[in-house]
């Protein structure tokens, strides 16, 4: 009878001690992992909510990463166009327009060669600025960021001619003698001007029933240089590209004699005509610069919203998955106390049970 009672007491004690130990171990793991649950089975409802929130967080974080990169690209583009816009602004006293007026209205003409050199250098500077990079990609190269977009080449007449991605910027669709060419180069430029590179920055990114991207659900991050500087020629056959206009005016002034006389009346008339074309091209550049500035502002606001959303989602799933550390430590301390108390009680039970057994 004594042995049976002792065995019963010991069995009950061992069960309670094991429960106390398991509680202590679980409390310790909770402190170490700081998680409310470590498997779906432990809390199906919280685990499901946390999974959905984590998935939304990962998607938003990816969108934020892309958006942040686009914002940086647009900041580089904005800085480039800002410097160009200031250099050609007809309202600025030290701009290209002031130099053009000086070259056109110089009473003695003695400074025309110097102004011509200044305009030529400005045209080169504009092209160099438009060939800048963001990271490893050329900012204004449209969908082909790996190759330099703009370059000067010498034509058959020995004159500088501007090219964009291998195509003459001042194309009019005709060869030098005026025969129709099918407007091949101009068609290529038109195609390049419409290039797109759509990215997901939180607009929904959806496709229609035919599997085509719904354009309003993504953002076109492509920046095409000729859309800002202009391309093709007008009804007079003059270039629309502002760098080409400035370069040609620089050449005309450089052709003047040391005394400042025009090389020909035709070049004088062309210079006067191009001065008006310059104002038109300058206004167009300013309009395009303003549009880019508006897009850049929108992108920054959208970027901030994505960052805020990602932070909120992170807080939400962490509130489900992670415990309050202070509460977890308190629970662990209590579990440790209970386990130690169980060991002390065990010592007492074992001693009494042994004495009963011996007696």
């Amino acid at each position: 009878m004594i042995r049976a009672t002792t065995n019963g007491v010991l069995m009950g004690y061992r069960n309670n001690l094991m429960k106390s130990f398991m509680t202590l171990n679980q409390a310790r793991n909770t402190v170490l992992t700081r998680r409310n649950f470590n498997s779906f089975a432990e809390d199906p409802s919280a685990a499901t909510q946390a999974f959905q929130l984590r998935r939304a967080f990962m998607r938003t974080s990816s969108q934020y990463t892309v958006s942040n990169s686009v914002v940086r690209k647009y900041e580089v583009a904005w800085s480039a166009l800002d410097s160009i816009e200031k250099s050609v602004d007809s309202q600025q006293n030290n701009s290209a327009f002031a130099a053009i007026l000086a070259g056109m209205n110089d009473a003695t003409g003695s400074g025309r060669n110097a102004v011509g050199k200044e305009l030529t250098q400005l045209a080169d500077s504009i092209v160099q600025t438009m060939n800048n990079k963001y990271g490893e990609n050329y900012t204004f190269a449209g969908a082909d960021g790996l190759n330099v977009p703009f370059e000067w080449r010498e034509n058959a007449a020995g004159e500088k001619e501007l090219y964009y991605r291998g195509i003459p910027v001042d194309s009019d669709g005709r060869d030098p003698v005026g025969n129709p060419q099918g407007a091949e180069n101009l068609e290529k430029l038109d195609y390049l001007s419409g290039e797109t590179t759509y990215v997901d920055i939180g607009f929904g990114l959806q496709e229609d029933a035919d599997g085509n991207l719904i354009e309003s659900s993504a953002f076109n991050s492509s920046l095409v240089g000729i859309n800002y500087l202009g391309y093709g020629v007008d009804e007079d056959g003059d270039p629309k590209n502002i760098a080409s206009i400035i370069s040609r005016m620089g050449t005309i002034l450089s052709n003047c004699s040391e005394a400042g006389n025009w090389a020909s009346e035709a070049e004088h008339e062309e210079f006067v005509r191009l001065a008006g074309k310059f104002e038109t091209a300058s206004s167009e550049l300013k309009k395009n610069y303003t549009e880019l500035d508006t897009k850049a502002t929108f992108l920054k606001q959208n970027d901030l919203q994505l960052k805020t959303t990602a932070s909120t989602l992170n807080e939400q799933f962490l509130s489900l998955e992670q415990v309050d550390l202070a509460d977890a430590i308190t629970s662990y301390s209590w579990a440790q106390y209970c386990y130690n108390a169980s060991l002390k009680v065990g010592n007492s039970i074992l001693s009494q049970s042994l004495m009963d057994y011996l007696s």
Side-chain angles (χ1 to χ4, degrees), residues 8 16 43 46 66 90-91 93 107 119 143 159 201 211 215 218 258 348:
N16 290 331
D43 193 338
V66 174
S90 60
Q91 303 302 315
N93 293 329
L119 291 178
E159 299 172 339
I201 59 171
E215 294 183 1
E258 293 183 3
S348 175

Side-chain angles (χ1 to χ4, degrees), residues 29-96:
N29 287 337
T30 299
V31 171
L32 293 176
T33 63
R34 302 186 182 185
R35 291 181 60 85
N36 277 320
F37 52 88
N38 291 299
S39 69
F40 180 83
E42 291 181 22
D43 193 338
S45 177
T48 300
Q49 293 180 59
F51 172 76
Q52 292 173 341
L53 288 169
R54 274 189 174 276
R55 183 171 59 181
F57 171 76
M58 294 299 293
R59 181 174 61 250
T60 303
S61 295
S62 176
Q63 292 167 344
Y64 173 68
T65 299
V66 174
S67 172
N68 198 252
S69 178
V70 174
V71 167
R72 298 292 176 265
K73 175 182 177 180
Y74 266 69
E75 286 177 342
V76 171
W78 182 91
S79 179
L81 285 184
D82 182 63
S83 65
I84 294 174
E85 195 276 330
K86 284 184 172 62
S87 70
V88 301
D89 188 354
S90 60
Q91 303 302 315
Q92 298 287 334
N93 293 329
N94 59 344
S95 71

Side-chain angles (χ1 to χ4, degrees), residues 16 48 70 81 171 212 214 219 232 234 312 353:
N16 290 331
T48 300
V70 174
L81 285 184
S171 296
N212 299 315
I214 299 175
F219 180 80
D234 60 18
T312 301
S353 300

Side-chain angles (χ1 to χ4, degrees), residues 87-302:
S87 70
V88 301
D89 188 354
S90 60
Q91 303 302 315
Q92 298 287 334
N93 293 329
N94 59 344
S95 71
F97 189 66
I100 290 170
L101 292 178
M104 186 164 53
N105 299 323
D106 189 343
T108 64
S110 59
R112 285 188 178 130
N113 289 151
V115 173
K117 184 177 181 180
E118 179 183 342
L119 291 178
T120 299
Q121 290 175 342
L122 174 59
D124 291 341
S125 175
I126 290 174
V127 170
Q128 290 173 355
T129 300
M130 293 299 289
N131 283 341
N132 69 3
K133 280 185 171 183
Y134 167 64
E136 295 300 317
N137 296 309
Y138 290 96
T139 309
F140 291 101
D144 181 17
L146 299 179
N147 296 298
V148 61
F150 289 100
E151 63 175 323
W152 293 106
R153 295 182 185 178
E154 190 174 291
N155 60 22
E159 299 172 339
K160 288 171 57 177
E161 191 172 4
L162 186 60
Y163 280 68
Y164 178 77
R165 289 171 61 178
I167 304 170
V169 168
D170 305 324
S171 296
D172 63 355
R174 294 177 177 272
D175 64 16
V177 296
N179 296 322
Q181 251 182 343
E184 180 180 349
N185 286 334
L186 193 57
E187 288 178 2
K188 289 179 180 178
L189 291 172
D190 286 336
Y191 175 80
L192 292 177
S193 73
E195 273 189 336
T196 58
T197 304
Y198 286 103
V199 293
D200 181 13
I201 59 171
F203 296 168
L205 197 64
Q206 295 182 359
E207 296 179 343
D208 58 23
D210 297 324
N212 299 315
L213 177 70
I214 299 175
E215 294 183 1
S216 60
S217 69
F219 180 80
N220 178 22
S221 64
S222 177
L223 294 173
V224 181
I226 53 174
N227 289 343
Y228 295 95
L229 299 186
Y231 68 94
V233 298
D234 60 18
E235 62 279 1
D236 296 323
D238 294 323
K240 295 180 180 180
N241 183 280
I242 194 165
S244 294
I245 293 173
I246 295 173
S247 179
R248 177 55 186 162
M249 297 180 81
T251 299
I252 293 175
L253 289 178
S254 298
N255 290 341
C256 292
S257 67
E258 293 183 3
N261 297 319
W262 301 95
S264 67
E265 185 56 32
E267 286 201 353
H268 179 204
E269 292 175 356
E270 182 183 1
F271 187 89
V272 173
R273 187 175 70 248
L274 287 176
K277 305 297 176 66
F278 170 85
E279 288 192 81
T280 301
S282 176
S283 297
E284 187 67 18
L285 175 65
K286 189 177 187 66
K287 184 192 76 172
N288 294 330
Y289 164 72
T290 302
E291 290 178 356
L292 183 135
D293 181 62
T294 301
K295 285 184 178 181
T297 301
F298 165 76
L299 284 169
K300 289 180 180 179
Q301 293 172 343
N302 182 74

Side-chain angles (χ1 to χ4, degrees), residues 312-332:
T312 301
L313 289 169
N314 183 62
E315 291 176 359
Q316 288 178 329
F317 73 70
L318 288 180
S319 68
L320 288 171
E321 294 180 349
Q322 293 190 353
V323 297
D324 183 284
L325 188 57
D327 289 343
I329 292 175
T330 300
S331 297
Y332 171 68

